[in-house]
Amino acid sequence: MKNFLTIFLISILGVSCSKNDFKNTNLYLEFDKEEYQSNDNFELTIRIVPIENEKTIGIYKNLNNIEISFLSKGEQFGFHQVLNERFIEGSSMSGDDREYIEEFTISKDKPFEKKLFGKISESENEIIFEISELKLTKKINKNDLIEDQNILVKGICRTVYGIEGKSFEVKELKIRVE
């Protein structure tokens, strides 16, 4: 009986830790414009659409399982490392996170959509992207944008049930620098 109970508990733990509710979905980042400059506000819409059927996804109420980054073309190869630093811990293994999670049933006709509002500002040497709801501040060196005004916006949405996740489709934006 002990062996059966042990195997049962281990299998439940294995299934719950490997559940990825973003499997079989497409994740999109959509902006209100394709070109911006310093002191512009922007609207970013996060869309999660199932590939086939209706499905349920979990999003932390504080959006902590969504990571967005703005990268100059030269910085794009360091993105994976930034995500690893933030998501290496995963969700709580011993605690109950349900009070922090909001579940959404999505379909092709009714995808998950979340509008986020941000601001682009500048300092002497940097262009600064801020999205307060994600507690995000990202700085890009102005010299990188003088060479190539196109930036990449990348992101990942990690399941609330473990460490797996899925990347958003990469979005390219133009940032005019004077």
Side-chain angles (χ1 to χ4, degrees), residues 123-140:
S123 67
E124 187 176 327
N125 298 317
E126 298 170 315
I127 298 293
I128 304 161
F129 299 86
E130 296 178 88
I131 303 174
S132 60
E133 196 166 356
L134 292 178
K135 298 176 184 73
L136 169 76
T137 301
K138 172 61 179 149
K139 299 174 182 178
I140 295 179

Side-chain angles (χ1 to χ4, degrees), residues 25-140:
T25 61
N26 290 320
L27 286 71
Y28 303 99
L29 301 171
E30 299 172 350
F31 287 83
D32 58 328
K33 298 189 305 187
E34 298 207 7
E35 186 173 319
Y36 296 95
Q37 62 186 13
S38 183
N39 297 319
D40 277 351
N41 293 317
F42 62 87
E43 182 178 300
L44 165 60
T45 302
I46 293 171
R47 291 185 62 233
I48 303 172
V49 184
I51 293 172
E52 294 176 9
N53 301 324
E54 184 175 276
K55 72 181 301 174
T56 301
I57 61 169
I59 304 285
Y60 281 114
K61 291 178 182 177
N62 65 3
L63 305 177
N64 199 35
N65 58 320
I66 297 173
E67 174 74 19
I68 307 292
S69 191
F70 297 84
L71 305 161
S72 68
K73 297 275 180 115
E75 293 176 304
Q76 67 180 314
F77 300 109
F79 180 67
H80 181 71
Q81 200 58 31
V82 170
L83 292 181
N84 282 343
E85 288 171 13
R86 176 159 179 182
F87 291 133
I88 198 74
E89 301 103 13
S91 61
S92 170
M93 294 296 276
S94 58
D96 184 0
D97 285 345
R98 282 182 285 179
E99 69 180 277
Y100 305 109
I101 298 169
E102 194 168 351
E103 290 192 335
F104 300 90
T105 300
I106 60 172
S107 66
K108 286 184 176 184
D109 296 329
K110 191 176 178 197
F112 172 81
E113 292 187 345
K114 175 69 177 169
K115 290 191 185 299
L116 301 169
F117 299 94
K119 172 121 180 97
I120 301 170
S121 58
E122 69 179 289
S123 67
E124 187 176 327
N125 298 317
E126 298 170 315
I127 298 293
I128 304 161
F129 299 86
E130 296 178 88
I131 303 174
S132 60
E133 196 166 356
L134 292 178
K135 298 176 184 73
L136 169 76
T137 301
K138 172 61 179 149
K139 299 174 182 178
I140 295 179

